[in-house]
Amino acid sequence: MQTDTEHRTSLLRLAGNPRELLAAARSNLELWANLLIIAWALGFMLWQGVGFAISVGTVFAIWAILSVSLNLVVGFTGLLSVGHVGFFGIGAYTVAILTSQAEYEQLRTEAIPTFGWPFFAALPVGVLLAGLVALAVGVVFNRFRDDIYVLVSFGFAIISFNVFLNWRGLTRGAFGIHDIPRPQVGGWALSGELEFLAFVLAALGLIVLISWFIVTSSFGRVLTTIREDEEAIAVFGYRTTHYKLAVWTISAMMAGLAGGLFASWTSFVDPNSFILLESMLLVAIVILGGLATIWGSLLGAMAFVLLEEGMRFLPFLPTIHVGQARLVVLGILLVLLMLFRPQGLVGRYKL
Amino acid sequence: MRPGSEQIDDHYVIQTERISKHFGAVRAVRKLSISIPKRGLTSIAGPNGSGKSTLVNLLSGVLPLDGGLVVIDGTSLKVVKAHENPVHGLTRTFQEVRLFDQVTVWNNIMVVLSERRLFPALLERVNPMQRDRARGILESVGLWEKKDALAMNLSYGQRKLLEIGRAMAMEANIYLFDEPFAGLFPEMVEKVKEIMNRMREQGDTIVFISHNMDIVRELSDHLIILDSGSLLEEGAVDDVLSRPKVINAYLGT
């Protein structure tokens, strides 16, 4: 629990003394990972310019919200869910449908009603809806644990994808929903990329703050004991099902928020953004960064985004193969990590 | 205590009435009726597979009852819920030590001292009172120096003591210890005895399972002997141990 804070203070202390910093880094893999990824990110920004850094930063912030929120469930509570993308999709579709300004009747494809809500009215609805679905699903999921839990959440990811794809009267299926506007506060629209980046980073900050508040509370401590031995902690007077349901719902609402931001950022959503693979990548990021550490999830998300974007510039790799290649590289990375460092880059805990 | 609950006998803190538990075809506990007197030490003995651990699991709600009735502190229950143990003032340890392995020693204790209700728990931070209490417990089981270690990195004896410490943190009236002395070094055995005697002086009820008849004779006031899931004998220790049935069937000399 205290790893995050300890970590940050040690980083701060070391930053004041570069010689000590280097000496420690030589023997400390965690610090190496931190420095490497941050240096990589900075190098990238210098090399590719501000515009690129802004778009990478936005992608990072959305992945980071997802991985921090998933870590609450997977890392802290020990429920290995691969269904997180479903809540991401619910948030994205809710915002997309409610805010889209397209005139679908003229398109001669699937027509759906246009609401034209402002972003800030639609976002809370998306978050709430993700929470409500999580509550309903969670009641059923609470009966399961361990490997069965993985399978059940897998089922949820498949079902949600198929709903997005086939409920055409609502989602336009594979045609997707376009003309999703950017957030607007009064007369000031967050249309610029830099403004939007600031907005998603602020949202990420809020999510990190809430997560930190949760995991440092008595509630958070109970979650970690549920991860270790649910039956034993129940003996001490805890209704573990309530705790699991609560953290699951909170986490899903955070994913819904990420979905809403994502929809507004890309201005177009279709079911392809919410396939099972995205969920798997998310779990990979959480494990890569380290279970039960918020900082690790941020680091994991950053490493993942840098890996993805960085491979775009490899001279021997054609651009069209980048998408597939990142998965291969990530897969190899995960296997290596599990072999040599099962607790992830900065984590202390193992699955 | 629930109003209107059936009052059985004030002298006993736990009573079971014809409780049963079976695992498939194996009948671990068969229509067992026992009474555990209020205050003092009661030990449960019996050969392997006689249903001692199952009995403790039934009393603490870890396993559901197949039949019968349990009366804990005046409340009669057909279904014992694990999360209601604090309501009955009951806590326990496990035969195979069950700690929160990848959690620090400190938090293994703190979690028992914390708020149980969901929303207050979200707002609760460690307060000085809890800190003092946790420190006191860790010092009394000799694990204060180890407070920042993960529970999984403790030695077997330390783990056993931490589990007892965790039970102490509950401030219960009824302690169920499942083989607290098994596998402990003599000095640790002394420590556990000391802890149990201190609980007795406070007027708590301590129930423990043990195979070690010397310890049973030395510590306990009351003895229950099980055999194949049924009651063989129960009563005052010296009395029970001198009964021919016990000598023949269990001690078998």
Side-chain angles (χ1 to χ4, degrees):
Chain A
M1 220 66 355
Q2 290 165 354
T3 43
D4 283 343
T5 41
E6 275 168 18
H7 205 85
R8 238 168 276 130
T9 49
S10 70
L11 269 181
L12 278 179
R13 201 184 59 235
L14 286 173
N17 188 344
R19 193 186 293 271
E20 194 187 330
L21 177 84
L22 276 177
R26 234 172 258 128
S27 60
N28 188 340
L29 199 130
E30 273 187 26
L31 205 57
W32 266 121
N34 277 305
L35 292 176
L36 190 74
I37 291 169
I38 292 168
W40 189 1
L42 289 175
F44 229 89
M45 286 179 201
L46 290 174
W47 176 38
Q48 287 297 325
V50 177
F52 189 77
I54 289 173
S55 94
V56 169
T58 310
V59 177
F60 156 73
I62 291 172
W63 276 107
I65 294 176
L66 286 171
S67 58
V68 168
S69 68
L70 185 61
N71 208 342
L72 290 178
V73 171
V74 176
F76 287 95
T77 323
L79 304 169
L80 186 50
S81 164
V82 292
H84 215 51
V85 75
F87 303 115
F88 181 55
I90 289 170
Y93 265 104
T94 310
V95 167
I97 292 165
L98 290 177
T99 64
S100 169
Q101 291 157 341
E103 298 292 336
Y104 293 108
E105 281 77 8
Q106 297 167 0
L107 290 170
R108 267 181 275 159
T109 51
E110 215 65 50
I112 60 163
T114 301
F115 297 95
W117 284 26
F119 175 82
F120 284 108
L123 188 67
V125 178
V127 171
L128 222 61
L129 202 63
L132 285 176
V133 172
L135 208 59
V137 170
V139 170
V140 182
F141 279 23
N142 261 345
R143 296 163 173 272
F144 308 103
R145 58 172 83 163
D146 303 333
D147 33 9
I148 305 294
Y149 199 92
V150 180
L151 280 181
V152 180
S153 62
F154 180 90
F156 175 71
I158 301 285
I159 291 171
S160 57
F161 170 75
N162 277 289
V163 170
F164 300 145
L165 184 64
N166 293 317
W167 193 350
R168 280 187 266 169
L170 192 69
T171 67
R172 296 184 82 240
F175 293 116
I177 295 171
H178 43 84
D179 289 337
I180 305 164
R182 285 289 168 86
Q184 193 163 1
V185 193
W188 183 51
L190 295 173
S191 48
E193 291 300 316
L194 185 63
E195 288 152 327
F196 195 80
L197 173 67
F199 178 56
V200 283
L201 284 178
L204 173 62
L206 181 73
I207 294 300
V208 167
L209 213 65
I210 295 173
S211 304
W212 178 83
F213 188 79
I214 291 173
V215 303
T216 54
S217 69
S218 293
F219 179 91
R221 194 186 301 113
V222 178
L223 297 182
T224 61
T225 62
I226 291 176
R227 175 188 72 207
E228 296 303 316
D229 192 337
E230 189 179 343
E231 215 172 61
I233 190 61
V235 166
F236 294 94
Y238 286 100
R239 287 170 174 266
T240 55
T241 48
H242 293 192
Y243 279 79
K244 286 194 291 183
L245 201 58
V247 72
W248 170 256
T249 306
I250 292 170
S251 167
M253 289 169 80
M254 291 174 174
L257 178 85
L261 295 171
F262 172 76
S264 181
W265 181 59
T266 59
S267 84
F268 171 79
V269 293
D270 74 349
N272 280 329
S273 305
F274 312 107
I275 52 176
L276 181 70
L277 182 66
E278 303 292 323
S279 249
M280 294 298 191
L281 290 176
L282 205 49
V283 174
I285 290 174
V286 169
I287 296 174
L288 178 87
L291 294 170
T293 135
I294 295 172
W295 175 247
S297 279
L298 295 175
L299 210 61
M302 190 173 289
F304 171 74
V305 173
L306 289 175
L307 196 72
E308 188 182 18
E309 299 301 322
M311 286 175 69
R312 223 183 276 281
F313 301 102
L314 291 180
F316 51 86
L317 191 71
T319 325
I320 47 164
H321 294 314
V322 166
Q324 294 101 312
R326 64 167 189 175
L327 298 180
V328 175
V329 171
L330 196 74
I332 294 171
L333 217 66
L334 263 184
V335 171
L336 289 177
L337 208 68
M338 286 299 106
L339 277 175
F340 299 110
R341 205 175 159 79
Q343 69 270 48
L345 290 177
V346 298
R348 281 176 80 184
Y349 307 104
K350 297 171 194 169
L351 267 183
Chain B
M1 223 176 294
R2 230 166 279 168
S5 65
E6 198 179 335
Q7 286 293 318
I8 307 282
D9 194 332
D10 232 22
H11 181 60
Y12 297 110
V13 70
I14 295 177
Q15 285 183 294
T16 70
E17 283 176 29
R18 299 170 69 77
I19 58 168
S20 301
K21 182 72 199 173
H22 59 82
F23 304 105
V26 181
R27 294 198 290 161
V29 170
R30 309 178 189 194
K31 298 195 170 142
L32 179 66
S33 300
I34 57 159
S35 302
I36 294 169
K38 200 173 256 178
R39 298 197 175 83
L41 283 151
T42 298
S43 42
I44 302 175
N48 285 327
S50 58
K52 307 183 295 292
S53 281
T54 307
L55 175 63
V56 169
N57 283 337
L58 291 173
L59 292 177
S60 59
V62 171
L63 291 174
L65 287 166
D66 285 343
L69 198 70
V70 174
V71 184
I72 302 175
D73 208 8
T75 314
S76 54
L77 305 157
K78 280 205 160 94
V79 180
V80 186
K81 289 177 183 153
H83 64 81
E84 281 176 3
N85 284 333
V87 180
H88 308 127
L90 182 147
T91 190
R92 66 166 296 177
T93 66
F94 294 88
Q95 185 180 0
E96 307 282 334
V97 182
R98 285 174 79 168
L99 292 168
F100 310 116
D101 278 341
Q102 300 191 72
V103 170
T104 59
V105 167
W106 175 256
N107 275 337
N108 264 277
I109 300 292
M110 276 307 302
V111 75
V112 179
L113 299 172
S114 304
E115 177 61 55
R116 300 300 195 270
R117 288 164 302 157
L118 208 64
F119 291 104
L122 258 173
L123 301 176
E124 191 184 59
R125 297 292 188 267
V126 179
N127 62 49
M129 221 174 67
Q130 292 168 323
R131 195 173 289 139
D132 291 346
R133 179 99 186 96
R135 179 173 184 154
I137 288 162
L138 284 176
E139 278 171 348
S140 70
V141 295
L143 288 173
W144 173 246
E145 269 75 48
K146 291 273 179 189
K147 70 181 163 64
D148 294 321
L150 294 184
M152 64 192 283
N153 295 332
L154 298 181
S155 72
Y156 178 80
Q158 288 170 330
R159 285 168 62 78
K160 205 100 186 164
L161 282 169
L162 179 57
E163 210 193 16
I164 291 171
R166 188 176 65 177
M168 285 162 66
M170 280 278 278
E171 298 195 34
N173 309 313
I174 309 165
Y175 294 88
L176 310 178
F177 293 129
D178 198 345
E179 304 214 10
F181 301 106
L184 288 188
F185 289 120
E187 62 268 34
M188 285 186 170
V189 169
E190 288 310 314
K191 186 153 242 161
V192 176
K193 279 185 193 168
E194 186 192 311
I195 289 169
M196 283 163 68
N197 276 324
R198 211 180 311 143
M199 287 172 171
R200 188 215 316 249
E201 282 159 23
Q202 285 168 8
D204 297 331
T205 307
I206 303 104
V207 181
F208 71 99
I209 295 176
S210 183
H211 283 289
N212 188 330
M213 277 304 153
D214 294 332
I215 292 181
V216 168
R217 208 187 295 263
E218 177 195 336
L219 276 185
S220 49
D221 313 303
H222 195 81
L223 175 60
I224 292 169
I225 295 186
L226 301 183
D227 189 27
S228 320
S230 310
L231 181 67
L232 192 70
E233 290 287 345
E234 69 176 324
V237 178
D238 295 331
D239 180 28
V240 169
L241 285 178
S242 61
R243 289 178 200 167
K245 214 169 160 187
V246 174
I247 295 169
N248 291 338
Y250 178 53
L251 300 172
T253 38

